[in-house]
Amino acid sequence: MSLRVKAYAKINLWLDITDRLENGYHSLNTVMRQVDLYDTVTLTPTAGSEIEIICDNPAIPTDRRNIAYKAAEAFLGAVGFTHGIKFEIEKQIPVEAGMGGSSTDGAAVLTGLNLLFGNPLTVDRLCEIGGKIGADVPFCIVGGTAECGGIGEVKRKLFCCDFAIAVIKPDFSCNTALAYKSWDESPIEPKAGFSQFCEALGNEPKLWAGSMYNVFEVLQKNPEIERIKAQLLESGALGAAMTGSGSAVFGVFKSLTEARTAIKNIPYSCKFAVNAL
């Protein structure tokens, strides 16, 4: 029996680094929101004990470098199973865009395998396993809108009103490890107002979208990122920001129609509009 799972992308409405930990990880203040863009992961138990990954994007590794592979190993180890598993990943989320494409695939593997094998693990246990694989995996498991801290632990679910986003990814990508290294070399004090931002999310987007923050925008000072943000704002976005360590930039709109209209004349090949979930 095979199981198909949707692996939803995320955006960061706020992303800040508060400290570098002794183990090399970084402590964060972030708010993440799932959006209606997803990869599809098909899981099929197989004979033997091998883990096999097939992906329609040749840029995605299909060995132990893939978070989905690590997720499968971790799940099977946690439950003591030795089944073989084959994953087929259909990619829709842009690669190295800051939208959690690899993390959400890993989360889909954890939740999908748990369902296939009769739910032997709780959501909290899945998040615990996921957090050891990738910082965004726990959020991708629980979804919705959440305040996350530490190295990605979900601290609390937040109420956030509905909105749509227009996303533009420039022709370049951003390496997450190098992005965090840039903070190590030039640390920035955490931005004030994080708690107030979290509480404001229950209001209409026009009351908080202009206050979104991403520390990597400050560190990178990339003129193309700033240009895309300006184009989105000029096209009617209530606020615009880079997500994750980049390079995708999103603008917040009241409706999907407004978001689609906004990007029609912005000249990038990788652009789309989706609803926040």
Side-chain angles (χ1 to χ4, degrees):
M1 181 183 72
S2 296
L3 177 69
R4 289 170 63 88
V5 183
K6 291 180 178 179
Y8 287 97
K10 61 82 180 173
I11 54 172
N12 295 86
L13 302 178
W14 185 290
L15 176 56
D16 203 2
I17 300 172
T18 59
D19 196 10
R20 185 178 190 276
L21 307 177
E22 291 183 1
N23 60 9
Y25 286 93
H26 295 78
S27 180
L28 306 176
N29 278 339
T30 186
V31 174
M32 289 188 271
R33 176 77 180 250
Q34 271 187 333
V35 298
D36 195 13
L37 172 72
Y38 55 86
D39 296 341
T40 302
V41 182
T42 303
L43 304 89
T44 306
T46 62
S49 59
E50 298 299 316
I51 296 172
E52 179 186 2
I53 297 178
I54 299 171
C55 184
D56 62 358
N57 186 332
I60 303 300
T62 55
D63 54 20
R64 283 184 171 83
R65 292 172 295 170
N66 193 309
I67 287 181
Y69 194 109
K70 296 176 182 177
E73 283 190 316
F75 177 87
L76 294 172
V79 297
F81 294 164
T82 57
H83 290 275
I85 300 291
K86 181 173 75 173
F87 308 117
E88 297 177 61
I89 303 174
E90 301 169 49
K91 293 295 293 182
Q92 293 294 327
I93 303 170
V95 178
E96 292 190 330
M99 300 190 73
S102 59
S103 293
T104 195
D105 290 348
V109 167
L110 288 172
T111 56
L113 287 177
N114 201 46
L115 186 60
L116 271 176
F117 291 114
N119 294 309
L121 302 180
T122 65
V123 171
D124 286 345
R125 180 69 176 119
L126 292 175
C127 289
E128 180 184 350
I129 294 171
K132 296 176 182 177
I133 299 168
D136 294 340
V137 175
F139 169 76
C140 293
I141 290 172
V142 301
T145 306
E147 174 191 351
C148 301
I151 62 170
E153 297 94 338
V154 177
K155 296 177 67 176
R156 58 173 173 151
K157 298 292 289 287
L158 298 173
F159 172 75
C160 185
C161 58
D162 294 334
F163 60 92
I165 60 168
V167 180
I168 295 176
K169 183 186 180 298
D171 293 335
F172 64 89
S173 297
C174 295
N175 181 279
T176 300
L178 292 178
Y180 279 93
K181 184 179 179 182
S182 68
W183 187 90
D184 294 339
E185 295 171 348
S186 301
I188 297 174
E189 286 293 317
K191 184 176 176 63
F194 177 62
S195 297
Q196 293 89 332
F197 180 81
C198 291
E199 300 308 318
L201 289 174
N203 300 309
E204 295 181 10
K206 66 180 180 180
L207 298 178
W208 54 260
S211 300
M212 295 186 299
Y213 176 73
N214 188 325
V215 68
F216 292 114
E217 289 182 33
V218 181
L219 288 164
Q220 294 173 11
K221 298 183 177 67
N222 188 297
E224 189 164 2
I225 297 297
E226 294 304 316
R227 184 162 55 249
I228 294 171
K229 287 176 60 179
Q231 290 174 313
L232 287 167
L233 292 170
E234 289 167 4
S235 299
L238 301 171
M242 188 172 74
T243 180
S245 56
S247 61
V249 179
F250 68 93
V252 172
F253 293 83
K254 288 189 295 184
S255 71
L256 190 58
T257 299
E258 291 182 3
R260 287 171 173 164
T261 300
I263 58 176
K264 280 185 178 179
N265 297 318
I266 300 179
Y268 284 88
S269 57
C270 184
K271 58 183 180 180
F272 50 88
V274 293
N275 281 314
L277 293 175

